[in-house]
Amino acid sequence: MQHPAATPDIDRAATRRPGATPELSVIIPTFNEAGNVRAITQALESALSGIRFELVFVDDDSTDGTRDILAELADTRGNLRVIHRVGRRGLATAVTEGMLSTTAPYLAVIDADLQHDERVLPDMLALLTSGEADLVVGSRYTAGGGIGDWDANRARVSTAATRLARLITSADLTDPMSGFFAISRPAFYSAVRDLSGQGYKILLDIAASAKQPLRIRELPYQFRTRQAGESKLDTLIIWEYLLLLVDKIIGHIVPARFLSFMFIGGLGVFVHMAVLGSLVALGEPSFLWAQALATLTAMVFNFFVNNMLTYRDRRLRGFIGLSRGLLTFVLACSVGAIANVGIADYLFDDALYNWFSAGLAGIAVGVVWNYAATSVFTWRAR
Ligand code: GDD
Ligand code: MN
C-alpha cells in the first residue's frame, strides 16, 4: 500500500552511502535456534548473492548452544555478527538493538526458523533503494501470500489482532503483525525514540511511532513451517499485544507497565476479599489473623502475576531469584501499606478530607510507592 504523501522530515539522502558499509543489514533475533541458524545463514547467503549485506544475530542468552554454532559461522565469514543479551527477553527490543548496532543504510528483519521467505529480500531492498518506499513488509494476507499450516485458532487470533492494530496506526497494512520486513535507516530513526519495545510486534510499533506516515509497500510471501525447534510465542503474547496497544494509546500519559501493575493490584483486592471471606466463614476466630493472612496471600498473588505479565521481559526465575523477588516485593508493599494508612490518616485529620477522599489518596500514594519501589528493588532493569 502506497502513501502518496511525501514525508519531508525524513532525510532520504542519508541512505546513499558509498564505501565499505554493507548496503543491507539483516537482523535475525534468536532464542534457542540451534537447529536453524546454519540453515538460515546459508539460505540468506544464497538469496542475497550479489548484494553487500551483513547478518546480525541478536541472541537472548540461548541455552541450547545457538551461540556456539554462530561463533563457528562467524569464524569463516566477515559479515556475520552476534549480539548477546543477558538477563533480558523480547523480540521487539532484540530487533531494535540489532538495528541500532549497524550503520547499513537499509535494515531487514527475518525469523531464524525459516518460516519467512528470504527470497523476497532482494525485491524488498529494490523498493527501498529506488526510493519508492521507506518500509517494505512481507505479508501473508495480501494476494499471493499465505499462512501455511497455522491452525484455525492461531489464524483467528491473528485476524483479530490485525483489526485491533487500526487503533494505533492509520498505516495501510494487511499484515501489521508481520515479523518480516525491510526499512530504510532514516525511517527507522524517525520512530526509534518513541518505540514502546513492548512484546513482539516491532513492525506495528515502528508504524505507530514514526513521526510522519511512512511510505509502505507490501510483498506477499508464503509463511512456511518452522524448520527445527518450537515457537517461542505462547498465549501470553496476547497480553503483551494489549499492553502495546494501551502503551501507544495513552502511554505518553501513564506508562502501560503502571496500568498493568494497577490492574493486577485490582485483581489482588478480589483475592484478598475471597481469602478473608473464606477464613471468616470457616470460623477463624481472630479477624486480625484472617486479615493478615489475606493480605499476605494477595501480596504473593500480586508478585507472581506481575512477574508473569507486567515484568515479562525481566521475569525472575529459579528458586533464588523468585525468593529474593518475593521478599523484596513483600517488604516494599508493606512500606506502601504503612504510607497508605499514614497519609490517609493525616489527610482525614486535616478535616478538609472526608473518609472517602482521604482513603483514596492513601491508596494512590501506596500504589505509586509500591510500583516505584518494586521496579527498583524487585524487577530492577539490567
Ligand atoms: N532475541 C530474541 N529474544 N529472539 C526471540 C525471542 C526473544 O525473546 N522470542 C522469539 N525470538 C526469535 C525466535 O528465535 C525466532 O527466530 C523469531 O524470533 C520468531 O519467533 P517464533 O517463536 O518462531 O515466532 P512465531 O513463528 O510464532 O511468529 C513469528 O512470525 C509471525 C508472522 O510473521 C514472529 O515473527 C511474529 O512476530 C510474527 O507475527
Ligand atoms: Mn516461527
Side-chain angles (χ1 to χ4, degrees), residues 28-33 36 58-62 83 85 88-95 110-116 138 140 150 154 158 175-180 200-202 221 223 226 230-234 237:
I28 310 139
T30 56
F31 182 68
N32 291 346
E33 300 288 1
N36 292 318
V58 186
D59 185 73
D60 280 357
D61 216 15
S62 290
I83 297 176
R85 307 198 308 167
R88 279 188 299 155
R89 277 292 308 276
L91 187 47
T93 56
V95 169
I110 192 165
D111 287 354
D113 57 5
L114 297 139
Q115 291 199 273
H116 297 156
R140 298 160 289 175
W150 263 10
R154 177 132 193 206
S158 181
D175 194 357
M177 306 296 124
S178 179
F180 181 35
Y200 283 77
K201 301 309 169 192
I202 181 70
Y221 78 96
F223 200 61
R226 178 177 251 282
E230 52 195 40
S231 172
K232 310 303 174 311
L233 307 195
D234 51 26
I237 62 151

Side-chain angles (χ1 to χ4, degrees), residues 309-322:
L309 298 179
T310 312
Y311 289 100
R312 205 165 136 66
D313 54 333
R314 309 179 195 163
R315 199 171 343 165
L316 303 169
R317 291 159 199 276
F319 184 74
I320 306 273
L322 287 172

Side-chain angles (χ1 to χ4, degrees), residues 87 257 261 264 299-317 321-322 324-326 328-330 332-333 370-382:
R257 232 194 256 278
F261 191 84
I264 292 161
M299 279 183 183
V300 171
F301 167 85
N302 269 281
F303 169 72
F304 282 103
V305 180
N306 274 306
N307 193 45
M308 197 168 64
L309 298 179
T310 312
Y311 289 100
R312 205 165 136 66
D313 54 333
R314 309 179 195 163
R315 199 171 343 165
L316 303 169
R317 291 159 199 276
L322 287 172
R324 232 192 114 264
L326 183 60
T328 54
F329 185 84
V330 168
C333 294
N370 287 350
Y371 176 70
T374 58
S375 78
V376 172
F377 294 113
T378 310
W379 290 286
R380 187 181 0 201
R382 292 210 232 169

Side-chain angles (χ1 to χ4, degrees), residues 30-200:
T30 56
F31 182 68
N32 291 346
E33 300 288 1
N36 292 318
V37 287
R38 233 181 260 287
I40 187 74
T41 300
Q42 282 155 8
L44 286 167
E45 282 171 344
S46 75
L48 296 174
S49 67
I51 293 169
R52 210 164 64 230
F53 70 95
E54 66 171 345
L55 305 182
V56 181
F57 286 87
V58 186
D59 185 73
D60 280 357
D61 216 15
S62 290
T63 50
D64 68 344
T66 298
R67 275 184 321 284
D68 297 336
I69 301 172
L70 288 174
E72 238 172 72
L73 290 167
D75 198 35
T76 49
R77 290 163 176 81
N79 65 342
L80 190 156
R81 291 189 287 123
V82 180
I83 297 176
H84 179 182
R85 307 198 308 167
V86 173
R88 279 188 299 155
R89 277 292 308 276
L91 187 47
T93 56
V95 169
T96 305
E97 283 171 40
M99 289 185 163
L100 287 171
S101 81
T102 171
T103 52
Y106 301 103
L107 315 162
V109 196
I110 192 165
D111 287 354
D113 57 5
L114 297 139
Q115 291 199 273
H116 297 156
D117 190 345
E118 69 288 341
R119 292 167 303 180
V120 179
L121 281 169
D123 291 342
M124 289 181 164
L125 181 63
L127 285 170
L128 294 178
T129 52
S130 70
E132 276 169 75
D134 305 310
L135 170 63
V136 187
V137 180
S139 171
R140 298 160 289 175
Y141 299 123
T142 196
I147 54 173
D149 65 352
W150 263 10
D151 60 48
N153 206 17
R154 177 132 193 206
R156 253 198 311 277
V157 171
S158 181
T159 312
T162 301
R163 291 216 187 93
L164 280 175
R166 291 259 158 264
L167 289 173
I168 61 168
T169 177
S170 56
D172 216 348
L173 290 167
T174 59
D175 194 357
M177 306 296 124
S178 179
F180 181 35
F181 61 92
I183 188 169
S184 74
R185 164 167 297 283
F188 169 67
Y189 276 173
S190 83
V192 71
R193 286 186 178 75
D194 295 303
L195 292 180
S196 156
Q198 202 60 252
Y200 283 77

